[in-house]
Amino acid sequence: MIARPLLLALSLCMATAPCGAQAPLPDLGDISSATLSEQQEKTIGNRIMREVRVDKDYIDDPEIFDYINSLGQRLLAAADGPRQSIDFFVVRDDTINAFAMVGGHIGVHTGLILLTQSESELAGVVAHEIGHVLQKHQARFIAGQSRASWTSLAALALALIASRSNSSQGAQVTEAAVASAGALQMQTAIDYTREHEREADRVGLTLLERAGFDPRGMASFFDRMLKANRLNEFKGAPSYLRTHPLTTERIADIQDRIEHGRETILSMRVSETTEYRLVRARIRAMSGSPTEAIKYFRAQLEDKTILRPREEVYGLALSLQRNREFDAAWSTLEPLLKGPNVHPAFLNLAGHIKSDMRRDDEALEIYRTALNAHPGYRALVYGYNEELQQAGRTRESLADLEDRTRGNPDDARLYELQARAMEATGRRVAQHRAQAEAYYRRGNLAAAVDQLEIATKQVRGSDFYDMSIAESRLRELRILLENERAAEKALKIS
Ligand SMILES: [Zn+2]
């Protein structure tokens, strides 16, 4: 569902191609007028991400989120030139799609991740999207639409997203808007983007190879997608093919490039991660109904009595936990917890299952040991603190969170956990202050200011120290909010 903001914004831009002709065309000779400034890009990107992050299909799961970001950063680190900041996220959606948005935000659908058969294939798609961002295709496309049309269209797109999430009628409006973009406009857009596709492929292939992935993954995945589409194996055309025109010619181009670098490929060591397979299993376990997921993994594991792939055992244990069959989940997971170097994902699931069973002491023990071995694993940090709070050890959790926010001052989830603990101890000012910090880190300044306003209006249960921090923070964030609103207003997207 989230892919819609971009798709919609794009479709609407395409839909206006005829009206764009009446507006003054940008001077193509002058590059500066054909691109958005970095600040403008950031403003538009933040505005869209504010909607995306609260969408129910935006995946906030720390293990999935951290995986896609580490994959993206590994590819990005292989790029030339000044380091550009790009963030990555996963959207719960069965359709095959990946997309880049203005301001450096790249989203990947769960459906696409499940369709890949190796990490190099997934890396190929992500690298291609990074190529679009590094080449500023989105920004150039938007800027090329003439300011008058794209700013009001961005505003309309956002209004539609808002109405969609509030009512089922909104969904129909959006669908209609996307459909009305029409084939003709699509065609003109395709001519425009074919060049960009080639550029993104070229940049993507370089990143893939430098980052230690198999560049053939890009060609094989695109080829499989194209064939499956021709044989109508997809329900309707996958969104990816609509936004990224894919032709046999393009695939041949990619294969050509790979052929040229054949010797390097034959001598290179492809390094794929365990996390790729675990995250895929995790996504599979979360998809469909819990019983469907259990059935899927049981079928995968059938006949595999000796060599049971760890990710499939993990997937089955996760699906069983999701179905609240905690004993069965535990006995499935147990073999993965033996031996040296147990993966933190298994330890995290172990902690969660014990926590679900209300075996609080055992759960805490698992988390403590696991955190000693993997102090930076976010899922364990959150699981540990949730468990402490469930066991009524709120003060211990607060002390731990205090410590951790000092080390990771940008982690929104830590502040959310802090807010929950503060609420349990009746510290209302501190609760709303922590909630404000969480919103601020999630890019929602207006909600952060709201929380601080609530905090500063508290009469009971407030101490002087908490209150004075809340007041000065409120002044600070109000100024940031005013600046943001002014910037959005200038772009007509507020
Ligand atoms: Zn593309």
Side-chain angles (χ1 to χ4, degrees):
M1 285 299 197
I2 295 180
R4 301 272 157 71
L6 169 79
L7 190 61
L8 180 60
L10 272 177
S11 309
L12 288 169
C13 288
M14 292 166 193
T16 52
C19 9
Q22 293 150 8
L25 287 166
D27 178 4
L28 293 173
D30 180 7
I31 291 175
S32 64
S33 74
T35 50
L36 299 167
S37 77
E38 217 165 284
Q39 196 50 50
Q40 286 174 320
E41 270 195 53
K42 233 178 124 182
T43 303
I44 300 172
N46 289 347
R47 178 72 190 89
I48 296 174
M49 283 309 288
R50 220 151 69 215
E51 308 294 333
V52 169
R53 287 197 193 96
V54 295
D55 194 297
K56 65 176 176 30
D57 293 321
Y58 173 85
I59 295 189
D60 199 21
D61 180 282
E63 287 172 307
I64 297 174
F65 184 90
D66 286 355
Y67 168 70
I68 200 72
N69 272 283
S70 72
L71 174 68
Q73 298 309 332
R74 179 174 157 189
L75 290 162
L76 192 56
D80 293 320
R83 189 68 184 265
Q84 173 150 1
S85 109
I86 300 182
D87 59 62
F88 304 84
F89 60 97
V90 177
V91 182
R92 189 181 293 105
D93 193 315
D94 292 342
T95 59
I96 318 301
N97 204 4
F99 50 93
M101 298 196 296
V102 170
H105 308 279
I106 291 177
V108 184
H109 283 193
T110 49
L112 187 142
I113 296 176
L114 292 179
L115 189 74
T116 60
Q117 286 176 2
S118 72
E119 190 171 32
S120 289
E121 289 193 350
L122 176 59
V125 175
V126 174
H128 173 95
E129 294 306 321
I130 294 176
H132 279 310
V133 175
L134 294 180
Q135 299 295 312
K136 299 201 166 297
H137 292 157
Q138 291 292 331
R140 265 150 56 185
F141 184 80
I142 290 185
Q145 293 301 305
S146 97
R147 170 170 292 231
S149 61
W150 72 256
T151 49
S152 55
L153 283 165
L156 176 58
L158 289 164
L160 286 170
I161 298 162
S163 72
R164 190 179 66 81
S165 52
N166 291 334
S167 74
S168 59
Q169 232 182 357
Q172 285 159 14
V173 173
T174 312
E175 292 293 347
V178 171
S180 73
L184 185 69
Q185 286 84 358
M186 282 287 195
Q187 198 52 54
T188 55
I190 285 168
D191 285 341
Y192 170 74
T193 50
R194 243 177 214 161
E195 201 52 41
H196 288 153
E197 287 307 291
R198 251 197 299 274
E199 255 179 46
D201 287 341
R202 182 178 51 76
V203 174
L205 272 177
T206 308
L207 298 184
L208 257 189
E209 205 171 320
R210 286 187 190 162
F213 291 106
D214 187 344
R216 287 168 295 189
M218 188 187 262
S220 67
F221 185 67
F222 286 162
D223 194 38
R224 193 138 39 84
M225 197 154 47
L226 199 62
K227 278 187 185 131
N229 190 48
R230 258 195 227 123
L231 297 170
N232 260 329
E233 280 172 16
F234 294 115
K235 299 173 221 140
S239 341
Y240 190 83
L241 296 183
R242 273 201 307 262
T243 47
H244 302 261
L246 187 60
T247 56
T248 39
E249 190 194 351
R250 212 185 114 201
I251 293 171
D253 268 2
I254 298 174
Q255 276 162 343
D256 221 37
R257 277 179 204 283
I258 296 170
E259 200 59 37
H260 275 292
R262 196 181 178 86
E263 264 132 64
T264 20
I265 293 166
L266 289 176
S267 65
M268 78 183 281
R269 281 188 133 185
V270 175
S271 72
E272 301 209 342
T273 65
T274 313
E275 284 72 28
Y276 164 72
R277 292 195 306 272
L278 296 184
V279 158
R280 253 178 117 246
R282 192 170 177 82
I283 289 171
R284 177 76 71 187
M286 281 166 44
S287 311
S289 73
T291 46
E292 273 164 10
I294 293 170
K295 224 169 112 187
Y296 170 83
F297 283 109
R298 285 219 165 111
Q300 291 296 310
L301 286 164
E302 210 166 67
D303 303 331
K304 293 178 194 162
T305 43
I306 302 165
L307 278 173
R308 288 159 66 92
R310 295 194 307 163
E311 63 272 19
E312 288 171 4
V313 177
Y314 169 67
L316 178 59
L318 263 171
S319 312
L320 288 163
Q321 183 226 10
R322 207 180 136 210
N323 206 34
R324 308 195 62 77
E325 296 178 46
F326 303 132
D327 289 327
W330 182 259
S331 58
T332 304
L333 180 67
E334 233 180 347
L336 299 181
L337 303 173
K338 296 198 174 101
N341 306 323
V342 176
H343 197 281
F346 304 154
L347 295 169
N348 181 45
L349 178 58
H352 274 284
I353 295 172
K354 287 289 179 188
S355 176
D356 287 333
M357 290 169 157
R358 288 308 312 252
R359 302 242 178 106
D360 292 335
D361 289 339
E362 286 172 56
L364 286 173
E365 186 52 36
I366 290 170
Y367 283 124
R368 283 201 190 101
T369 319
L371 278 167
N372 269 333
H374 310 277
Y377 202 77
R378 287 201 304 140
L380 288 170
V381 171
Y382 306 148
Y384 174 54
N385 276 284
E386 280 160 11
E387 177 50 40
L388 278 175
Q389 294 182 21
Q390 170 174 287
R393 298 160 84 150
T394 316
R395 281 153 69 109
E396 267 174 77
S397 173
L398 278 174
D400 186 74
L401 291 167
E402 178 83 40
D403 226 39
R404 292 189 191 277
T405 47
R406 237 177 277 129
N408 300 288
D410 293 327
D411 188 338
R413 190 79 79 90
L414 292 178
Y415 294 96
E416 282 158 5
L417 285 162
Q418 211 173 34
R420 216 196 290 168
M422 293 292 186
E423 188 182 13
T425 54
R427 289 177 59 185
R428 303 300 298 275
V429 180
Q431 173 202 334
H432 293 293
R433 238 182 60 209
Q435 192 56 56
E437 296 305 330
Y439 278 131
Y440 171 62
R441 279 156 186 84
R442 290 197 188 274
N444 195 341
L445 272 169
V449 165
D450 274 354
Q451 286 296 316
L452 287 168
E453 278 168 354
I454 299 171
T456 51
K457 280 180 195 138
Q458 298 297 315
V459 187
R460 277 189 299 171
S462 62
D463 64 53
F464 175 75
Y465 178 72
D466 273 348
M467 190 58 99
S468 68
I469 293 181
E471 280 165 353
S472 70
R473 190 67 171 141
L474 178 57
R475 281 193 294 274
E476 240 169 63
L477 293 194
R478 267 186 184 146
I479 293 170
L480 291 182
L481 179 62
E482 268 168 41
N483 292 344
E484 183 186 80
R485 286 199 169 139
E488 287 179 359
K489 213 170 166 192
L491 289 168
K492 300 199 178 93
I493 52 168
S494 65

